[in-house]
Amino acid sequence: MMSTPVSNRLYHDPELAALYDVDNDWGADLDYCRELARSARSVLDLGCGTGRLIAALAPEWRAVGVDPAEAMLAIARQRPGGALAPWHKGDARNVRLVVMTGHAFQTLLTPEDQLAAMRTIAAHLTPQGRFIFDTRNPAGEEWRDWTPEHSLRTLEDPRLGKLEAWNDVRQDAATGIVTYETHYRVATTGRMISASQSHLRFSEKAELEQLLAEAGLAVDRWLGDWQGHAWTPEAPEIIPLGRLAASAATVTRTASM
Ligand SMILES: C[S@@+](CC[C@H](N)C(=O)[O-])C[C@H]1O[C@@H](n2cnc3c(N)ncnc32)[C@H](O)[C@@H]1O
């Protein structure tokens, strides 16, 4: 059964969405996908957030961004290059996707929703098409760093000035779901901007393998980070880079003839 997505304030609240780019640097995931895009004619970024990747590609590629959070899309439309790309309000479970960065996959909280997203990929990939997404390796227990003591950081926001930011976290070992809070305090006024109860699922590679096969997807390479290193049990990330499984590709080819 598909679960109803929790409307996460971190992405749906305009004030918090405006802090996303301040708190999240352009990362190796975006570099990697921008490079991958060189060999693709069109790119569909699911869970595109504030649209950094698509806006960077839009002048030269047919690039489309999809995200369920209007507040994130509003930022995407405004950013340099943003006016050149189409942005769609949508959900990973029922729209096309090729690329899913920034651990957007981890916002899918049940195996059913993960499978639905994978089926969406499979349903829309051409036989030559590829997909890639990232999910943090649970072995790294990265959430342990999301306590107030370990996560305290100072940010500089162009509108609000200096901010102190921190998280708080708990993990449910039975489901692999991590629940965390994000807090920002404006240094000059002491005002708090907070998002409570964001949820992320940490999946084991074996679970993903099973779901991907069920969705008709084949993995060419399992990466362990966005530098392109092969996956190992200690790798920080689990990143499948793949395509339609041969049998699914035949069905797609036949259907499009
Ligand atoms: C951590 S942000 C990553 C944004 C972007 N990919 C990046 O790398 O900067 C996660 C994004 O996933 C989106 N999201 C949440 N649920 C989703 C769903 N069911 N389908 C697609 N995107 C979803 C959120 O709205 C948010 O913008």
Side-chain angles (χ1 to χ4, degrees):
M1 198 182 67
M2 218 185 257
S3 70
T4 309
V6 179
S7 186
N8 187 342
R9 284 196 61 216
L10 214 45
Y11 309 130
H12 289 266
D13 179 319
E15 193 169 32
L16 284 158
L19 294 174
Y20 182 83
D21 287 353
V22 176
D23 201 9
N24 294 277
D25 291 336
W26 173 281
D29 53 346
L30 301 180
D31 274 338
Y32 195 96
C33 288
R34 189 167 53 181
E35 201 51 38
L36 211 56
R38 287 184 190 284
S39 57
R41 279 180 305 169
S42 57
V43 178
L44 190 50
D45 183 358
L46 203 73
C48 64
T50 57
R52 297 182 293 187
L53 178 67
I54 291 299
L57 295 174
E60 294 164 57
W61 278 262
R62 264 179 55 210
V64 179
V66 173
D67 201 283
E70 185 52 46
M72 299 292 263
L73 291 175
I75 294 166
R77 288 189 196 98
Q78 301 284 320
R79 71 181 325 122
L84 298 170
W87 305 101
H88 296 289
K89 190 167 169 183
D91 190 298
R93 296 168 298 180
N94 51 28
V95 290
R96 303 161 193 237
L97 74 123
V98 175
V99 165
M100 219 169 171
T101 59
H103 308 112
F105 183 80
Q106 288 188 252
T107 64
L108 299 163
L109 298 180
T110 63
E112 289 79 11
D113 282 352
Q114 293 179 333
L115 181 60
M118 292 172 185
R119 285 195 164 128
T120 303
I121 299 173
H124 296 98
L125 279 180
T126 63
Q128 297 77 24
R130 289 197 288 176
F131 72 91
I132 193 165
F133 64 81
D134 60 356
T135 178
R136 297 175 183 88
N137 189 353
E141 301 190 335
E142 199 181 309
W143 61 84
R144 290 191 186 278
D145 292 334
W146 302 348
T147 58
E149 313 81 68
H150 287 116
S151 63
L152 186 64
R153 55 204 179 269
T154 304
L155 306 171
E156 195 62 40
D157 181 74
R159 296 164 304 122
L160 301 171
K162 197 167 144 192
L163 300 171
E164 273 190 337
W166 67 95
N167 301 98
D168 204 354
V169 71
R170 63 191 172 281
Q171 189 245 3
D172 179 355
T175 60
I177 291 181
V178 164
T179 301
Y180 67 101
E181 296 167 7
T182 307
H183 303 285
Y184 299 100
R185 182 165 50 217
V186 182
T188 47
T189 61
R191 189 164 78 87
M192 292 290 302
I193 307 168
S194 294
S196 55
Q197 305 277 307
S198 304
H199 305 280
L200 293 176
R201 184 179 177 89
F202 281 69
S203 304
E204 298 289 345
K205 179 166 171 278
E207 284 178 69
L208 297 170
E209 279 170 346
Q210 204 182 328
L211 290 172
L212 285 164
E214 208 175 323
L217 293 168
V219 177
D220 295 330
R221 291 173 63 200
W222 287 93
L223 305 180
D225 58 38
W226 281 106
Q227 279 69 43
H229 296 113
W231 186 84
T232 64
E234 299 77 33
E237 306 274 349
I238 306 174
I239 305 176
L241 171 57
R243 58 187 74 241
L244 282 176
S247 52
T250 310
V251 172
T252 305
R253 237 190 329 268
T254 311
S256 61
M257 279 163 74

